[in-house]
Amino acid sequence: FDPDLHYEISKLHINHLYDFVKAIDNQKASFMIRYVYIPDSPFRTDSDRELDALAAFVNARPHCRGVELLPYHRLGVHKWEALGIKYPLEGLKTPTREQISDMRTKISTRLDDSKQILLA
């Protein structure tokens, strides 16, 4: 995953995520990677480069069961507004069912056969 893109979206450095996942994997605990799908924007998470990195990360972890795909949504925007904070992802659109289906296929073709892809 692109560290700059991750920081731009979450305002958190991705190294913490990597360290956490490695610690879980070292404990031999089963886990899934939750991946937010944002299409058609400066924050898009569906580029070939990003998906190749996601698959390599997941496939390299024997205790990772796969990817839980989370399509971007706007359900929490009102919380930002209530706090008087500018929503950083303003203007992004929720992906269509077709886009979600295509994204699921793009990820599943990159994952090892032992890995799952779930839709949240």
Side-chain angles (χ1 to χ4, degrees):
F1 324 99
D2 181 340
D4 295 331
L5 177 63
H6 185 273
Y7 185 81
E8 194 66 32
I9 294 169
S10 68
K11 302 302 182 214
L12 298 171
H13 295 285
I14 201 165
N15 292 348
H16 300 294
L17 171 81
Y18 288 154
D19 293 343
F20 180 70
V21 168
K22 288 174 187 173
I24 292 171
D25 202 40
N26 287 338
Q27 295 295 318
K28 298 180 172 49
S30 178
F31 63 96
M32 298 283 287
I33 296 293
R34 300 185 90 192
Y35 191 74
V36 178
Y37 169 37
I38 303 173
D40 306 324
S41 80
F43 304 111
R44 64 182 289 211
T45 58
D46 60 349
S47 70
D48 286 335
R49 179 175 172 235
E50 188 72 9
L51 297 180
D52 289 343
L54 169 68
F57 187 80
V58 170
N59 290 334
R61 290 172 173 68
H63 301 287
C64 181
R65 294 190 338 255
V67 175
E68 185 175 2
L69 182 59
L70 303 160
Y72 169 78
H73 59 77
R74 299 182 46 81
L75 296 176
V77 173
H78 70 281
K79 294 176 186 177
W80 291 78
E81 293 169 352
L83 292 170
I85 301 172
K86 183 181 182 324
Y87 183 61
L89 303 177
E90 188 60 48
L92 296 185
K93 295 179 182 172
T94 302
T96 65
R97 287 180 191 220
E98 184 178 328
Q99 287 175 310
I100 294 167
S101 178
D102 290 348
M103 179 63 156
R104 189 174 184 172
T105 300
K106 285 180 183 180
I107 294 173
S108 66
T109 59
R110 289 171 163 85
L111 295 179
D112 292 345
D113 290 341
S114 64
K115 306 298 183 184
Q116 301 174 313
I117 179 160
L118 304 176
L119 184 59

